[in-house]
Amino acid sequence: MLTKINHMGIAVKSLDDAIPFYRDNLGMALAGIEEVPEQKVRVAMLGVGESMIELLEPTSAESPVAKFIEKNGAGIHHIAYEVDDIETAIATLLAGGARMIDETPRCGAHGTRIAFIHPKSSGGVLTELCQAGH
Ligand code: CMX
């Protein structure tokens, strides 16, 4: 069902403050910066091998990322696995009793379709399914 780790999401207060460490100190390639209004975040994708790091900056106090930072501070927010067929993956997880935040896919960054599994169903790790855009 899962084909690889697509990205790790890291909550940051400010992309401008966070990007230089990843780009300049760790030497990752900055693939792009994009606002995802539906998720109330601005994201920067940085490449590492065949995977990505997604830095997440909240654009509103109502953003799930703003709430996460308020409670935990900046840090690892979620892991995203790539799937070939997100509808089938969601159906399989629901059939297995998992609690889905999204029972239908929604739009993620860079044309992806995404769905989140509730951390209470996945050992306290917010988990994202991610299907590449067509
Ligand atoms: N990782 C692990 N646990 C998390 C979490 C995270 N990122 N965010 C919240 N939680 C925990 C909370 O700490 C809380 O735990 P306790 O009950 O033990 O205190 C629990 O989840 C439920 O919290 P809640 O108050 O019911 O719900 P929240 O309002 O905090 O929302 C969540 C939590 C996961 C449902 C919400 O953040 C969500 O819908 N996330 C999915 C969307 C998202 O995160 N978008 C941003 C990224 C977008 C992108 O990648 O493009």
Side-chain angles (χ1 to χ4, degrees):
M1 187 166 79
L2 311 177
T3 56
K4 65 172 186 177
I5 293 173
N6 181 280
H7 65 264
M8 298 284 303
I10 299 178
V12 302
K13 290 182 183 166
S14 155
L15 287 184
D16 288 345
D17 290 346
I19 285 171
F21 171 74
Y22 289 89
R23 184 192 54 205
D24 304 333
N25 296 65
L26 291 178
M28 293 183 190
L30 178 61
I33 297 177
E34 184 182 338
E35 185 160 346
V36 185
E38 196 183 345
Q39 301 285 329
K40 300 187 175 66
V41 288
R42 217 160 62 95
V43 307
M45 301 299 287
L46 296 115
V48 49
E50 62 170 15
S51 301
M52 308 285 276
I53 292 296
E54 181 184 60
L55 303 180
L56 299 153
E57 175 194 80
T59 54
S60 146
E62 309 309 313
S63 167
V65 175
K67 290 182 190 167
F68 177 88
I69 291 174
E70 197 180 347
K71 185 173 176 185
N72 307 289
I76 293 178
H77 180 262
H78 67 266
I79 183 165
Y81 298 104
E82 201 162 307
V83 294
D84 286 333
D85 178 349
I86 196 165
E87 277 85 4
T88 300
I90 292 170
T92 303
L93 282 156
L94 285 172
R99 180 172 156 196
M100 298 299 301
I101 294 169
D102 304 299
E103 295 194 6
T104 53
R106 50 175 156 163
C107 297
H110 308 291
T112 54
R113 295 165 69 230
I114 63 173
F116 282 93
I117 305 168
H118 198 282
K120 294 291 180 197
S121 256
S122 44
V125 179
L126 178 60
T127 301
E128 178 184 340
L129 305 176
C130 171
Q131 184 177 349
H134 297 291

